[in-house]
Amino acid sequence: MHKDDIENGTTWGYEISMIQTVAKKYGFTTKWHMPADMEWGNIKTKNDTEYWSGLIGEAAYDNTDISISAITIQQTRSMVVSPSSGYGSEYCQLFAPGPKILPPIYSLVRPFNVTSWGFILGFMISFPLVAYLVLRKFSKFSLEYTYLYSVASFLRIEILFSY
């Protein structure tokens, strides 16, 4: 595909047809553009700064949702974009932008699956109840304070209690 084809609205090729068919089936629109440097994607250096050029650069810097072409998957490219499996006899690839940096709050949630979170929640609910029942003769804490203290201990929050 040439840049003039996109500007004139005369895009063509089996990659274009494939994406347009998927877009029609799932109800989304497409907008095509070529990278300014008309390259597939390599590491370049400008003013002592390395950057990605071409279609890979478009995906790596979030200037597109998908880059599609007969671009080979390389380890360095896979570090900045997420490649698809090859398809067709020409080994055409789809490259999507890589994972985004998430806010730090997600670092608490992401390491565990639903089952793990179920066990953690179950432990946080049952442990204070068991502790209260076992220690109620020796402790001044009410059931409410036992829950609060247990959850705060689990989350490593310092709480000052007043009796």
Side-chain angles (χ1 to χ4, degrees):
M1 181 179 351
H2 192 270
K3 191 172 184 178
D4 293 337
D5 295 330
I6 293 173
E7 290 170 358
N8 297 329
T10 58
T11 55
W12 55 273
Y14 78 93
E15 301 100 332
I16 304 296
S17 298
M18 181 183 66
I19 296 294
Q20 287 174 335
T21 301
V22 171
K24 184 177 178 183
K25 178 173 174 121
Y26 291 103
F28 63 88
T29 59
T30 58
K31 181 180 175 186
W32 303 95
H33 75 274
M34 292 291 288
D37 56 16
M38 300 294 288
E39 292 189 12
W40 282 336
N42 294 302
I43 298 174
K44 302 278 185 154
T45 304
K46 183 177 184 179
N47 299 331
D48 295 328
T49 302
E50 289 185 341
Y51 68 96
W52 280 94
S53 67
L55 293 169
I56 299 297
E58 292 292 304
Y61 300 122
D62 232 2
N63 296 330
T64 187
D65 295 323
I66 294 174
S67 287
I68 182 170
S69 189
I71 306 170
T72 57
I73 297 174
Q74 299 172 349
Q75 183 179 8
T76 53
R77 288 177 177 161
S78 296
M79 294 169 78
V80 294
V81 293
S82 300
S84 69
S85 299
Y87 61 90
S89 60
E90 296 177 9
Y91 302 105
C92 196
Q93 309 291 335
L94 292 168
F95 289 87
K100 308 290 182 268
I101 296 174
L102 296 174
I105 189 68
Y106 289 115
S107 63
L108 175 65
V109 178
R110 290 192 69 203
F112 302 115
N113 60 21
V114 174
T115 305
S116 298
W117 277 111
F119 281 120
I120 290 169
L121 186 61
F123 180 77
M124 288 178 66
I125 291 170
S126 63
F127 176 77
L129 180 61
V130 171
Y132 173 75
L133 293 174
V134 171
L135 300 173
R136 69 180 171 199
K137 292 180 183 177
F138 310 106
S139 176
K140 296 183 208 177
F141 285 165
S142 66
L143 182 59
E144 178 185 359
Y145 275 119
T146 304
Y147 268 103
L148 184 60
Y149 184 78
S150 297
V151 171
S153 295
F154 179 76
L155 298 175
R156 297 183 183 254
I157 300 172
E158 293 185 27
I159 297 178
L160 300 175
F161 289 99
S162 59
Y163 298 103

